[in-house]
Each structure stands twice: as C-alpha cells, then as structure tokens.
Amino acid sequence: MVLSLLNLCAREVVSDHSSSPYWLSCVPRELYRALLDAAFAHCRPLAVGELVQRWPERKLIVGGSRKSGECPPNRLCVQALLLAVVRGLTDKRCCLQMLDLSGLQCEDGRVEDSMGGWSLSVALCSMVLQARAAASRAHRRDGERERKRGLEAERDRGAIKRDRGKVGCGNSGESSQGGHRVEEVEKMDCRTNEQMVPEDESVKGIRRRMEIQRRKTLSEGKSNTSSNNSSLSDQDWEEVVMVHVRADIFVNSRSWERVRDALSQPGPLRLRCRYLRVEELSAPSIASLLGLLPQQDLLGVDIRYSSLGVSGLAMLLPLLAPFPQLHSLRLHYCNLDLQRTQPGQQGALQDMSKGLGSLKRLKRLCLTALRLPGHLRLLLSSLSQPLEVLELPYLCLTSTDLAYLSCSQHASFLKELDLSENWLDESSMPSLRRLLAQAQNSLCQLSLCGCGLSDALLGALLPSLSCCRALRSLRLALNPLSRTGLLSLARTAAGIPSLRLLLYPNPLEEYEPGLPALPSSAQLLDWPLLEESEGRDLTLRLLDEVLNLRGRSRDLLVTSDLLNYSPDLTVDD
C-alpha cells in the first residue's frame, strides 16, 4: 500500500513521544484524524491517549470495516483510547460527544495483541463504571465545598446580628413608652405564630423564635445535602451525560453482571449497543439485558449456546419487537430439539411464529442446529417481508421444507443461503433447483457443505448453479465427490463470471481405504487422507488446467482448506 505524504508525515510526528508537548499545542484540528490513524497503525498508545483526550470534534469513529491487509488496533492502543475518553470528560479542550467503536473487536485468533469482543466489552463496561464513580466523587466534593461555604456565610450573618444586638442594647436613652410598644408587638406575634413553635418550648421573644426556626431549617438542609451528595437521581444523571459510546457488546455468564451494571447505572458515559451477542445465558437473563438496551440503536442479536428451549425463545421474541432498527437475528445451538414431542410444543411454536412476525424489519435469520424438521413454513410464513440472508445449517430440513422455501416470498430476494449439514437426496433436488432458479439474480453466497452430494446429485444441480450470475462464494466442502465430479464442479464454477471463491471437498481418491460407499460429513472430516502427496498434487494440477483454460486462475480462489480460506473474498468490490 502506497502511503500519502500526509500519512508519512503523521507517522513521523507520532513516532517520537518526547516531542508531543510541542506539536500538540499547535496542531490544527484537521490533522487529528491522520495523527490518530498513524498512532493506531504503528502502535503508539501514548499518542493515542493524548490525541483522544484533546479530541477537537464531536464524533470519533474507531473500528468499522477494515481495508484488505489492514491490521486491527493493538490492545494497548485500545486501552489507551478508553482511558483517554474518561480523562477527556474533565478536559475543557475535549469536544467529544459520540464515540463509535462498532466493529473494533477482532475475532481472528491469528492476529497477535488484538482485542476480541469479550475483552473489549468488559473494558468498555469498566470504563463506563469508572467514569460514573469519578463523576460521583466530583459531585460529592462540590457538594462539600458548597456546604462549607454556606456554613461560613451563616456564621458571618450570625456575627453581624450579634454585633447589631450589642449596639442596640447599649442605647440606654430609649423611652419606656417605646419599650412597652415593643412588648405589645412581641405578645401579638407570639399569639399569631404559636403553631410554629413546639409545645415544649416556652420561648417568648421574636428574635429567639426566629433563631430556633433558622437552625431547624439549616439542619434539614444539611441532611438533604448529604443525601443528594451520596447519590444523584436518574433525572440528574440524564443531564450530565457527556459522551455516548456506540459499540458491539459481547456477553457471557462471566461478564453478565458487569454489563448489566454498566447499562443500568446512568453516568457521564452512556453505552449504546449496535450488535448484541450473548452466550450461555438463560432466557430471563437475556430478557433483563434487552430491557436495558436503548431501543433506537440495536441492529442485531446473536444468541449462542443457551438452553432456551421452545418456550424460552417464544418468551424472548416479543421482547425484540420494540427495537425498530433490528434486522438480524441469529440463534446458534439454543436447544430447540423438536424431534422429540413434548407437551405444549405446538402452542410454543405458534408463539415463536408470532414473535418472528413481530420483527417488521428482519432481513437476516440464522437458525443453527435448532432441529426443526417440517416446521419451516410455520416459522417463515409469519414474516411480513422477505429475508435476504437465511442460514439453516443442522436444521434437519425435509423435502417438504425445501418445497415451501422454493415457492416462498423469500426465494427471489435471497442474497445468502446456507443449507449446510442438511442431508439432500433425489427427492430434494427438484425443490433445490427451483429455489436456485428463483434466486439466480440475487444469490451471492451459497453453502451446501456436508449435504451428502454425490457425483450424480451434483450433476443434476450444476445447470442450476451455472445460472446464478451474481454468485460470489460457493462452498461445497465435506461432500462425497470423486475427482471426476470435482472437475465438473470446477468447470461450472469457472463459467460463473462473478464467482470469487470455491471451497471444494477433497475427492474420495485422496482418502485412506475403508470409507463407506456414501460417507457422511463427519466421516469425511475424521477419516485420514493419504500420506502420499501424489493424489493431491494431481488434483491441484487438474484444477489449475481448468482455471487456466477459462482464464480464471487469477480472480477465482479454489481451495479445500476449511480453516484458512478468506471470507473477505465474498465482499462486494
């Protein structure tokens, strides 16, 4: 990547931290963004902290989609950023009001010193709670100063009154007639205000009663001041919110309490969630968490490894309806096994269907390993608008489910479709071909990994695949194909101009002897490959010949590596 002159200069400036006092005092606000990018790119956490603490604009975006080859921010730089945000709350030079950290997390374990979603979420919540504690301490200090200032003022007024009283007592020339008149006024005022004085008090002077009433009022004011210093009301905290922090929040059973405290306790930093991902939480815990989220910001919910059951999911879905921008719902391994009939199961399914129907802007739906054979029509028919992304791996789909999907309102709008690990046979082929024909103008990603596609089944499907002119990613790993079937697949893939990635299965000829005639995906995954590399070399050579013949050797990645292929190739140019 060729750096511009601005980027080169910014890198040179932030590289020497000892010079920061000189350039920070005179750098124009237009250069802050370039300096911050250089500090992140070259791991200068001290420069990151100083720039963010003085950030001259109202909004700061860190994260989002990264360019090809661009590394995520270093963990130390992210921690320096969060600490600087808290310090900036008391820095008059800081104008920051919105901090957007959406997409900042890095889930790629191969990237060293990056911060994953779980660590980032805990750090964000700690930052919010730390800012609240600092604001509370500052408020108590201000209240204590005000109280002392008030006491000093009261003492000064009391001293002035005592001096005036002494001067009045020293005037012995006052006439007796005037003294009788003052006594009359005191008696009349005593009768008028006798309800203001407690019954056990036998005080009969106006000045004395006024002094008692003043002390009583002052003592009540002290108690109110001390209670207000200890805690602010929610309305008071709403007035002191200074920075809104937008981020993707990852929550599990270990971090749930901290996330809940950060969302429920108001303070100068307000946490706003874009995508929520939860793992290993019960349905009531997820429900309480949803109740704390600001409704205008949430775009997606991802629930994983939580034993919700049909009834738990039916309880949660209506709670998602108040979020107007919600367009993504992903459910992974949530223990919705409907292969075993249970009492009240059908009613809970109806509730699930109604809950899905209440999500008016839903575009992405993922139901991984929920085992809902024969119930796809019930779940999807309640949706008011078509889906664009549908992921149904390990769902135990039947031919009836595929027949419904091929004729549904969703078929012609699908951009991504994942039917992995659903066993396909001859009875499924007509519905699947019809589905591909309906989606041929929109479908960009298709995954049929582990579907039991043999040479014969794949041969029946290839004409439909060749008509998908928008397809960019085709994944067919862990299917029992021979080398001949694989080459037929490669020819079809090379004929799709938009295709950028083909994830193919290792042909059966590359496995050790002993595989059954039609092995499952689990058997293909566990069975050892031949130690000799001759078979693999032959396959690669034949694939290269196919790609070279079609002129696709440079723009089409063909791989059998399940772990290391790049999903970034599926992103639109």
Side-chain angles (χ1 to χ4, degrees), residues 394-460:
Y394 296 96
L395 205 68
C396 301
L397 294 175
T398 64
S399 56
T400 305
D401 292 326
L402 288 175
Y404 160 73
L405 186 59
S406 64
C407 300
S408 67
Q409 61 168 338
H410 312 287
S412 58
F413 291 89
L414 288 175
K415 295 181 180 179
E416 300 179 22
L417 178 63
D418 188 352
L419 301 178
S420 298
E421 298 297 336
N422 290 286
W423 192 261
L424 301 176
D425 53 18
E426 292 182 359
S427 63
S428 307
M429 287 298 107
S431 299
L432 186 55
R433 289 198 299 267
R434 184 165 57 247
L435 176 60
L436 294 177
Q438 292 289 328
Q440 63 181 0
N441 294 323
S442 61
L443 191 61
C444 297
Q445 298 184 34
L446 176 63
S447 181
L448 298 174
C449 297
C451 292
L453 292 174
S454 60
D455 290 357
L457 293 177
L458 182 63

Side-chain angles (χ1 to χ4, degrees), residues 209-238:
R209 284 201 307 275
M210 290 177 63
E211 182 69 13
I212 293 173
Q213 187 69 23
R214 184 186 64 80
R215 290 180 179 177
K216 182 178 178 181
T217 304
L218 184 61
S219 64
E220 291 176 354
K222 289 180 182 178
S223 62
N224 292 335
T225 302
S226 62
S227 62
N228 288 338
N229 288 338
S230 60
S231 61
L232 287 171
S233 66
D234 290 346
Q235 184 176 0
D236 294 332
W237 278 117
E238 288 290 342

Side-chain angles (χ1 to χ4, degrees), residues 86 121-131 258 262:
V86 178
S121 298
V122 171
L124 278 173
C125 295
S126 300
M127 175 189 70
V128 171
L129 296 175
Q130 179 185 355
R258 181 171 297 190

Side-chain angles (χ1 to χ4, degrees), residues 458-459 462 482-494 543 546:
L458 182 63
L462 288 180
S482 67
R483 188 175 284 122
T484 303
L486 175 59
L487 294 177
S488 300
L489 171 62
R491 294 188 192 97
T492 302
L543 289 175
V546 172

Side-chain angles (χ1 to χ4, degrees), residues 471-482:
L471 196 62
R472 298 183 60 82
S473 170
L474 178 59
R475 291 174 284 181
L476 291 168
L478 300 178
N479 282 294
L481 295 180
S482 67

Side-chain angles (χ1 to χ4, degrees), residues 266-404:
L269 296 180
R270 178 61 54 85
L271 196 58
R272 314 184 79 89
C273 179
R274 186 186 68 154
Y275 284 102
L276 175 67
R277 176 174 168 178
V278 299
E279 287 189 6
E280 302 172 349
L281 288 184
S282 63
S285 298
I286 298 174
S288 63
L289 201 60
L290 291 173
L292 297 174
L293 296 177
Q295 294 183 354
Q296 296 297 326
D297 299 287
L298 189 64
L299 301 181
V301 174
D302 188 343
I303 303 176
R304 303 187 178 206
Y305 313 113
S306 301
S307 297
L308 302 179
V310 180
S311 58
L313 185 56
M315 179 196 76
L316 289 178
L317 288 176
L319 302 180
L320 298 175
F323 296 92
Q325 305 298 324
L326 185 74
H327 66 261
S328 175
L329 176 62
R330 310 186 74 178
L331 305 172
H332 300 264
Y333 300 94
C334 292
N335 195 20
L336 266 67
D337 192 350
L338 297 187
Q339 292 179 320
R340 294 171 291 181
T341 305
Q342 298 177 358
Q345 182 172 281
Q346 193 63 29
L349 280 172
Q350 294 286 350
D351 294 338
M352 279 181 56
S353 178
K354 292 179 182 178
L356 287 173
S358 65
L359 307 180
K360 302 300 183 182
R361 302 194 64 175
L362 193 65
K363 293 292 185 181
R364 174 189 290 269
L365 179 62
C366 176
L367 307 174
T368 299
L370 300 191
R371 295 185 177 87
L372 301 171
H375 294 89
L376 198 61
R377 177 188 295 271
L378 176 62
L379 295 178
L380 301 188
S381 60
S382 61
L383 297 176
S384 58
Q385 60 180 3
L387 295 170
E388 294 180 358
V389 179
L390 183 59
E391 301 175 5
L392 305 173
Y394 296 96
L395 205 68
C396 301
L397 294 175
T398 64
S399 56
T400 305
D401 292 326
L402 288 175
Y404 160 73

